[in-house]
Amino acid sequence: MSRGFVKEDDQEETPIIPPRAPLPASVTNYVTPERMEQLLAERTALERQRQLDKDMDEQQRRRELAVIDGKFALLQERIASARILQSKEQNQDEIRFGAHVTLNMNKQQQVFQIVGVDEADVAQKKLAYTAPMAVAITGKKVGETVAFKLGRENRTIKIIKIHYT
């Protein structure tokens, strides 16, 4: 049937499902144990959201279910691909996944934790292990200095302290 014979009210827009943080191709999806718990809690919450109000308008219900199902599918992919790394299993003398790192960059001391892609949040001082700065300092030990280029600016990063929780 031609689209010309369909009522405008019958045409539904495809819902936009917000993407998860991008995980580079062929990169392992490392997560902290805490993040895995959060992902599983998020899945439980989405399962609860599927039980939508039965009195809801059918078109609205279909739209909301499509968004929930889309989010659920993306979440399931992340959970299925997740590989939990325990901090205590890391080499405690060098920067690895899960490390809390105190560093001096441009004469300012900063503390970051190296975490998974979904958990990264610069405002909370959590840096994805795939981020350029995390890649530059991974494997380094206390006292080492790393040259790091940020845009056009060259920075020197000195590792002050490494600890795991």
Side-chain angles (χ1 to χ4, degrees), residues 51-98:
Q51 310 307 314
L52 295 173
D53 183 5
K54 304 296 183 209
D55 297 330
M56 184 184 292
D57 173 83
E58 185 59 34
Q59 187 175 7
Q60 181 184 356
R61 181 178 166 76
R62 274 195 315 272
R63 204 173 303 130
E64 288 191 26
L65 274 175
V67 170
I68 292 168
D69 289 344
K71 286 180 179 180
F72 190 84
L74 293 173
L75 177 62
Q76 282 294 93
E77 281 180 28
R78 281 298 165 90
I79 290 171
S81 69
R83 179 167 174 225
I84 300 171
L85 283 185
Q86 301 286 345
S87 294
K88 62 186 173 219
E89 295 171 2
Q90 301 297 328
N91 181 343
Q92 305 292 302
D93 295 335
E94 62 184 40
I95 299 171
R96 295 284 175 205
F97 185 88

